[in-house]
Amino acid sequence: MKNRSVKLDSWLFTPFYDICFIFIYCCQCHFFVISFRIVNCIRHFGQVRHIQDKHSIREGSIILCQYGQNGICSALQFGDLRKAGFKYHVREYHLYAKDTTDDWTFYSSSQNLPAVLNDPNKGKQTNFFTKTWGDNFIDKVDIYPSPYLPEITLAHFETYCKKIAKRYRRHCRFKDNVSVKTKTPTVENDCEIPMIFYEQSLPLNDPDVFSKVFPSLSNTEDSSTAIRSLQETLSTYLDVIEMKISKQVALKSDAFFHAMLSHDTIMEQMARAARTVYKTRQNIAHVKKNLTECPLKLISLTRINHNMNNVHDLLKLMGTVQQTQPMIQLLLSTSDYVAALDLISSTQKVLSTRLSGIQAFRHLSPQLTEMKRLIHKMLSNEFQRFIVADLNRPPVDHTDIPERDKIVSIVSGILRLKEFDFLDTFKIEAMTSIQATIKQCVIEIISERDGNTEIVLRGSTADNTSLLCNEGIVFLEKVTPHLINLFNRILSLNNLILEITQMEDITGNESEDVWTPEELISINEKLKKIIVSLSDYCNERCANLIVIKTEKDYVFSDLSQLSKLSLLIDVFSDECEKITGHYSNAMKLALRSFAMKYIQNLHAEHRSQLTNTLNNERWKTADVPYELQNVINKICESGEVPSSRQCDSEVKPDGKFLVINKENYAVVFTVQLLIKILLQYCDATNQSPVIVQYLVHCMLELIRLFNSRCCQLVLGAGAIQSAGLKTISTSNLALVSRSLQVILWLLPIIKALLEKIHSKELSLNGFSNIESDLLSHKQEIENKICIIVSNMLSSQLSGWDAKPPVPSQTFRNISKHLVKLHEALIDILPIEQIRTIYKRVHDNFKDKLREQLTKMNIVANGSPQHGVVTSELTFYLQTLKTLRIINENDTEDNILYDIWLH
């Protein structure tokens, strides 16, 4: 931009057949303008037309230039800028510069067209003459980096940057220290007019305003000079204002001339409008006189009639309100409580709205409020009397709800009042009925006791009274149907109240009396809580009665009574849950507590009995009662432990052996006692499943006690002192081993029973441990028998000499010991177990004989001593065959050969 104008940059191409292309860059539009003209007409090229079309406005015949920053031409002069003058203005201020020393040529452009078109970053031009000039005039292509040039990174400039950084910092320090040269302020020729001259009012009588307008008159003594200076200043202000006014007039000249030309037309239109308004006012006055005043009188009369009717209706309403109290009495006499309460509510609403200012009824609203309170009290008393009468009906009366309409009316009235305290009355009376029913059954049971003991059931004494074990069963049998019947009645009343709460005339039809959803939910939850609390209360009262508080005379005769009590409690709890929908575990917990106490006492007795029996056990075979054999037979047939009710009561003689799966088991009396106790505990698990885990613990404890005590008494020879035995024989050991086999046979059956019935809540890991302990004990007994016999045979072989006669006395004694061992075991242990024992004794005998032959220096060389040894062994083997320890068809076990081998 030069000389306060914006210059156009252009290029002129070489003419082609008297035609040339001109490219012009417009600094305001920021794009090139392309055109072609005849060479002879080049001086008339369209720069002027571009500015005239794009950067000027036309107001009539005047053209205003806007070519410049912010659409303002800084070189615009006032005057008539018509078309010829506008072309001169463009050529003078916008096309070329005035400075003759700097004539603009096409070389002065910031960029020439060949450089743009030959830009390597642009694509090759096709259809040059048909493409539109713009941002996308040049196609863009991607120029890939040259493979011959190295890749330059920031690291290449680090040395240079470090060197220049020091110089730059030194330069900055020197630059900061350079003194700033003061510039001579430029005095602008524009005169600033004080703002006070722009105000709408200029009161010169105000001293402050006067001093601002004439500031030099009051501060200078030479008034003439001041006045002359002031006159010049004001003349300057006037010239500036006139110049500004002329600019505004020049800017709005077209509108001004247009307004002046249309002044006469506007005056004619205003005259016509005035005449029209005059005629219109005359017409309006005529309409008001003839058509408006009479209808207005009619409207006034209509309003008066309407007011009279309102007064008449109000008097009728007052008469109706005056009859409210007698009407309420009539409705209460017919038990229509809801209608009476609705009448009270509607009357109070009318008194507070339509009859609010009437003094005659100022006492009626408090009277109605007091009457509502009396109705509430009366309904509460009626509800209490009805609940007491309904819940205390005779048990034979199976009617659902007698006088249903009456209770519906009572409850509807109470609910219409939104008073929920009747639910507490319902709960209290239901608890009282439950308490009376339970107390009546307790009195009947206690009155049947023997003796003249007088028991007073009054106050807290009734809660502390406990029944005997058998009386608890009788109590549940008696009280269950009564309580179930009572709960059915309570539930019927509860359901009826729920039905009443859903009625529309109860929940209200008017906006202020409509029940909210929160109120409906609240009353439903209260009714549910009442039923739940009554169920818990009933179960807790019954549980307090059947729970044993002392041990004297409070024991069951057998576990069947405990099972019966458990069954009755289950029935009672299930019935209560079916009716109330709530499960109360108070009686179950009481039964568990009592059963645990009973089983603990019973288990202590069994443990003491088993211990005493073990201490007094003679470890001889005992006869097996038929009752026990019958239970074992049922177990063998079904694979399950039968209950005590499934066993036959037939009496038959006792057996010598315990037969299990057609195999005889010789057992001692202690094992029979242990089996009976275990079977009794198995039966108790079916009858009292709440304590099954404790029963499992008791069974494992008794088996562990039996196992450890047998080990102490037999293997540890404790029976010599406790039972007075002379010695522990092999028959004693064999009996213990056989008894352990019976327990090992019974353990898997008991475990299977428990897994089948109580698999989820039981832990049966103890069975595996006790089974391994029993097997280990059994193995120790067999080892003990083998050691005893082997020691006897070794003692005989120690004095043996291989010489005639044959068989020698030593081998005769060995045969006798083997025969005695067989006689001691044959009636106790099975033949396979005896053969196992004899095989181990036989192996020990061979080892001992081999050692003895080595000491005697006898070898298999056909000598006489070799023949004697062979004859002795033949006799020994014949004895084993006679005892049927080895079969006659079996080989001789190579005994004649392997004793010579080391």
Side-chain angles (χ1 to χ4, degrees):
M1 180 186 297
K2 295 183 180 181
N3 297 327
R4 301 177 66 183
S5 62
V6 181
K7 184 174 65 176
L8 291 173
D9 299 333
S10 65
W11 296 287
L12 181 62
F13 278 70
T14 304
F16 179 75
Y17 291 106
D18 293 336
I19 295 176
C20 69
F21 291 92
I22 299 96
F23 294 89
I24 307 161
Y25 178 77
C26 182
C27 299
Q28 296 298 312
C29 301
H30 298 290
F31 65 87
F32 288 95
V33 180
I34 185 170
S35 179
F36 59 92
R37 288 288 185 268
I38 304 298
V39 176
N40 294 332
C41 301
I42 187 64
R43 66 180 60 185
H44 302 292
F45 173 65
Q47 290 97 326
V48 176
R49 177 170 296 179
H50 173 75
I51 295 178
Q52 181 178 348
D53 294 340
K54 300 296 183 180
H55 303 288
S56 65
I57 59 174
R58 182 183 295 273
E59 294 183 358
S61 61
I62 298 175
I63 301 175
L64 298 179
C65 180
Q66 292 182 334
Y67 192 78
Q69 292 184 350
N70 300 322
I72 299 174
C73 178
S74 59
L76 181 64
Q77 298 296 325
F78 296 101
D80 187 9
L81 292 181
R82 300 186 182 276
K83 189 171 184 181
F86 183 78
K87 293 180 180 180
Y88 171 78
H89 170 78
V90 173
R91 287 195 300 270
E92 181 70 16
Y93 296 102
H94 299 306
L95 188 58
Y96 300 110
K98 285 185 177 182
D99 192 359
T100 57
T101 60
D102 189 16
D103 294 333
W104 186 89
T105 63
F106 67 93
Y107 295 107
S108 302
S109 62
S110 59
Q111 183 70 276
N112 54 12
L113 186 61
V116 173
L117 298 179
N118 296 327
D119 188 351
N121 291 323
K122 309 299 181 178
K124 185 177 179 181
Q125 299 303 306
T126 58
N127 298 328
F128 174 80
F129 294 100
T130 61
K131 295 199 72 166
T132 302
W133 188 271
D135 295 336
N136 298 323
F137 180 77
I138 300 300
D139 296 331
K140 294 183 179 180
V141 295
D142 296 331
I143 305 299
Y144 296 98
S146 175
Y148 303 102
L149 297 178
E151 183 178 358
I152 304 301
T153 61
L154 189 61
H156 292 82
F157 300 93
E158 288 184 357
T159 305
Y160 174 80
C161 291
K162 291 179 181 179
K163 182 174 65 176
I164 295 301
K166 297 179 181 179
R167 300 179 181 177
Y168 178 76
R169 288 193 293 270
R170 186 166 60 252
H171 168 71
C172 291
R173 288 197 300 271
F174 292 157
K175 183 179 179 181
D176 295 335
N177 295 329
V178 174
S179 59
V180 181
K181 296 182 180 180
T182 57
K183 296 183 180 180
T184 303
T186 303
V187 179
E188 295 182 357
N189 295 326
D190 294 339
C191 181
E192 294 293 338
I193 301 175
M195 294 302 297
I196 192 170
F197 291 102
Y198 289 104
E199 295 181 358
Q200 293 181 359
S201 62
L202 192 64
L204 295 177
N205 56 353
D206 188 356
D208 294 335
V209 176
F210 185 84
S211 63
K212 291 180 180 179
V213 174
F214 306 104
S216 58
L217 291 180
S218 60
N219 298 330
T220 236
E221 295 179 357
D222 190 359
S223 60
S224 60
T225 305
I227 291 173
R228 189 180 301 107
S229 177
L230 179 62
Q231 185 177 4
E232 292 177 357
T233 302
L234 294 177
S235 299
T236 304
Y237 291 168
L238 181 60
D239 293 338
V240 172
I241 293 299
E242 289 177 352
M243 185 176 63
K244 291 183 178 181
I245 291 173
S246 63
K247 286 184 179 181
Q248 291 293 328
V249 171
L251 184 63
K252 301 294 183 180
S253 58
D254 289 346
F256 178 75
F257 293 142
H258 179 72
M260 293 301 295
L261 290 175
S262 57
H263 178 268
D264 296 337
T265 304
I266 293 173
M267 295 301 294
E268 292 179 359
Q269 291 177 355
M270 291 179 66
R272 286 197 301 270
R275 289 192 297 271
T276 304
V277 170
Y278 177 74
K279 292 181 180 179
T280 302
R281 286 180 176 178
Q282 288 181 346
N283 294 333
I284 290 174
H286 180 72
V287 170
K288 177 181 178 182
K289 182 177 180 181
N290 296 325
L291 300 177
T292 304
E293 290 180 355
C294 294
L296 285 177
K297 290 182 180 179
L298 180 61
I299 292 173
S300 177
L301 294 175
T302 304
R303 185 179 296 116
I304 292 172
N305 186 23
H306 178 69
N307 293 336
M308 292 293 183
N309 291 331
N310 289 340
V311 171
H312 181 259
D313 294 340
L314 188 61
L315 292 174
K316 289 173 63 178
L317 181 62
M318 292 173 63
T320 304
V321 170
Q322 192 176 4
Q323 300 297 323
T324 299
Q325 291 180 336
M327 189 63 185
I328 292 173
Q329 297 293 337
L330 179 62
L331 292 174
L332 292 177
S333 63
T334 58
S335 299
D336 195 353
Y337 303 107
V338 176
L341 293 172
D342 287 339
L343 180 58
I344 292 173
S345 299
S346 59
T347 303
Q348 287 182 332
K349 184 177 179 180
V350 169
L351 289 174
S352 62
T353 54
R354 299 182 63 183
L355 303 179
S356 60
I358 298 176
Q359 294 295 322
F361 293 137
R362 63 183 180 276
H363 300 298
L364 183 57
S365 182
Q367 292 174 0
L368 293 176
T369 303
E370 183 65 21
M371 189 173 293
K372 185 185 291 186
R373 188 181 64 82
L374 293 176
I375 291 174
H376 175 227
K377 186 175 181 180
M378 180 181 65
L379 289 175
S380 299
N381 295 333
E382 288 291 331
F383 179 77
Q384 184 176 4
R385 284 195 295 270
F386 180 84
I387 291 298
V388 172
D390 182 70
L391 296 180
N392 294 324
R393 284 181 291 155
V396 295
D397 187 1
H398 297 291
T399 308
D400 185 15
I401 298 179
E403 300 182 2
R404 182 184 179 90
D405 296 337
K406 182 178 180 180
I407 188 62
V408 169
S409 177
I410 294 172
V411 175
S412 300
I414 296 175
L415 292 176
R416 192 69 180 83
L417 288 169
K418 292 187 179 181
E419 298 289 344
F420 301 146
D421 53 352
F422 76 100
L423 296 177
D424 298 332
T425 304
F426 177 41
K427 180 180 178 181
I428 293 172
E429 294 300 331
M431 285 185 176
T432 304
S433 299
I434 292 172
Q435 185 177 1
T437 303
I438 294 174
K439 186 180 292 186
Q440 181 63 32
C441 293
V442 172
I443 291 173
E444 293 177 2
I445 293 172
I446 294 178
S447 62
E448 297 176 359
R449 288 183 183 175
D450 296 335
N452 298 323
T453 303
E454 182 177 357
I455 299 176
V456 180
L457 296 176
R458 184 166 56 241
S460 60
T461 310
D463 295 333
N464 297 327
T465 302
S466 297
L467 300 175
L468 303 179
C469 295
N470 55 348
E471 290 178 347
I473 296 174
V474 176
F475 167 75
L476 284 179
E477 290 177 345
K478 283 188 174 184
V479 81
T480 298
H482 297 301
L483 290 178
I484 296 303
N485 188 25
L486 182 60
F487 268 114
N488 284 325
R489 294 176 181 178
I490 292 172
L491 188 64
S492 298
L493 288 172
N494 181 78
N495 294 334
L496 179 60
I497 294 173
L498 284 176
E499 291 178 4
I500 296 173
T501 57
Q502 305 300 324
M503 297 180 180
E504 292 184 356
D505 56 343
I506 303 303
T507 57
N509 296 321
E510 300 178 0
S511 60
E512 65 273 10
D513 294 332
V514 175
W515 282 26
T516 61
E518 290 76 11
E519 291 176 334
L520 291 172
I521 295 173
S522 175
I523 194 171
N524 291 338
E525 290 180 352
K526 285 184 178 180
L527 289 171
K528 290 179 181 178
K529 289 180 180 179
I530 288 174
I531 298 299
V532 170
S533 60
L534 291 177
S535 177
D536 293 336
Y537 175 76
C538 180
N539 280 269
E540 290 173 1
R541 287 298 304 272
C542 294
N544 292 334
L545 288 171
I546 64 174
V547 168
I548 308 304
K549 294 182 174 62
T550 60
E551 296 182 359
K552 185 178 179 181
D553 297 331
Y554 291 93
V555 294
F556 284 134
S557 59
D558 54 13
L559 283 172
S560 61
Q561 291 183 334
L562 180 62
S563 175
K564 189 173 183 180
L565 181 63
S566 176
L567 181 61
L568 289 173
I569 289 175
D570 289 339
V571 171
F572 181 79
S573 300
D574 294 341
E575 289 293 331
C576 287
E577 183 181 6
K578 187 185 299 182
I579 295 173
T580 63
H582 170 69
Y583 177 76
S584 179
N585 58 351
M587 294 189 71
K588 289 291 185 68
L589 293 177
L591 174 64
R592 179 182 177 84
S593 175
F594 172 66
M596 286 288 292
K597 185 175 180 180
Y598 173 72
I599 294 298
Q600 286 174 0
N601 295 332
L602 183 64
H603 180 62
E605 294 178 2
H606 287 162
R607 186 172 57 245
S608 176
Q609 184 183 4
L610 183 62
T611 303
N612 294 332
T613 305
L614 283 170
N615 292 334
N616 298 324
E617 181 62 60
R618 303 289 297 178
W619 302 107
K620 293 183 180 180
T621 304
D623 293 338
V624 179
Y626 175 76
E627 180 182 0
L628 178 61
Q629 183 61 56
N630 185 29
V631 175
I632 297 299
N633 292 338
K634 291 185 178 296
I635 294 175
C636 295
E637 293 174 0
S638 61
E640 298 178 354
V641 179
S643 62
S644 58
R645 298 183 295 272
Q646 295 176 346
C647 299
D648 298 334
S649 60
E650 184 180 358
V651 178
K652 288 187 179 181
D654 299 340
K656 187 176 181 181
F657 299 101
L658 182 64
V659 181
I660 300 175
N661 293 328
K662 298 180 181 181
E663 183 178 351
N664 295 333
Y665 286 79
V667 294
V668 295
F669 177 74
T670 307
V671 175
Q672 299 179 16
L673 176 62
L674 179 61
I675 293 174
K676 291 179 181 179
I677 295 173
L678 294 177
L679 294 177
Q680 185 179 7
Y681 283 173
C682 290
D683 192 18
T685 57
N686 293 327
Q687 299 173 2
S688 301
V690 293
I691 55 170
V692 62
Q693 186 65 59
Y694 182 70
L695 288 172
V696 171
H697 172 72
C698 293
M699 286 190 284
L700 294 177
E701 183 182 357
L702 291 179
I703 297 173
R704 196 175 289 109
L705 173 64
F706 172 78
N707 186 37
S708 61
R709 193 60 182 156
C710 286
C711 184
Q712 294 172 4
L713 294 174
V714 180
L715 288 178
I720 295 177
Q721 294 180 355
S722 62
L725 296 180
K726 295 181 180 181
T727 183
I728 302 299
S729 62
T730 54
S731 60
N732 301 136
L733 294 171
L735 275 174
V736 175
S737 177
R738 198 60 168 166
S739 300
L740 293 176
Q741 292 179 27
V742 175
I743 303 301
L744 286 171
W745 170 80
L746 187 61
L747 275 180
I749 297 176
I750 297 175
K751 184 178 180 181
L753 171 68
L754 296 174
E755 288 177 347
K756 179 180 179 181
I757 302 178
H758 314 285
S759 60
K760 295 182 179 179
E761 61 272 12
L762 279 185
S763 175
L764 303 176
N765 297 330
F767 279 89
S768 301
N769 298 332
I770 196 65
E771 187 174 0
S772 62
D773 293 341
L774 292 174
L775 290 173
S776 177
H777 187 195
K778 176 176 171 293
Q779 188 63 37
E780 290 178 3
I781 292 174
E782 292 181 0
N783 294 338
K784 185 68 175 179
I785 294 174
C786 294
I787 290 172
I788 291 174
V789 178
S790 297
N791 291 337
M792 293 173 62
L793 298 183
S794 298
S795 63
Q796 292 292 330
L797 284 176
S798 61
W800 171 68
D801 191 9
K803 60 182 180 179
V806 179
S808 62
Q809 187 62 37
T810 298
F811 273 84
R812 290 180 183 274
N813 293 334
I814 289 174
S815 297
K816 288 180 181 180
H817 288 309
L818 293 176
V819 171
K820 287 182 180 180
L821 176 63
H822 187 270
E823 291 175 352
L825 300 179
I826 190 63
D827 293 333
I828 300 175
L829 299 178
I831 187 63
E832 294 299 330
Q833 189 175 358
I834 294 175
R835 286 178 179 174
T836 303
I837 294 173
Y838 268 88
K839 185 177 184 306
R840 294 181 59 186
V841 171
H842 178 56
D843 293 338
N844 293 333
F845 170 76
K846 289 193 295 182
D847 295 339
K848 189 64 179 177
L849 180 59
R850 190 181 298 110
E851 293 176 2
Q852 187 68 21
L853 292 175
T854 303
K855 290 180 182 180
M856 297 172 63
N857 198 17
I858 300 176
V859 294
N861 53 5
S863 63
Q865 287 183 330
H866 176 247
V868 171
V869 172
T870 302
S871 299
E872 295 280 12
L873 291 177
T874 303
F875 175 73
Y876 169 77
L877 291 175
Q878 190 63 34
T879 302
L880 293 179
K881 290 182 178 180
T882 302
L883 296 176
R884 296 181 181 178
I885 300 303
I886 58 176
N887 295 327
E888 294 181 357
N889 298 329
D890 293 343
T891 60
E892 295 180 355
D893 196 27
N894 296 324
I895 191 172
L896 298 178
Y897 305 102
D898 59 5
I899 61 172
W900 309 107
L901 302 175
H902 294 286

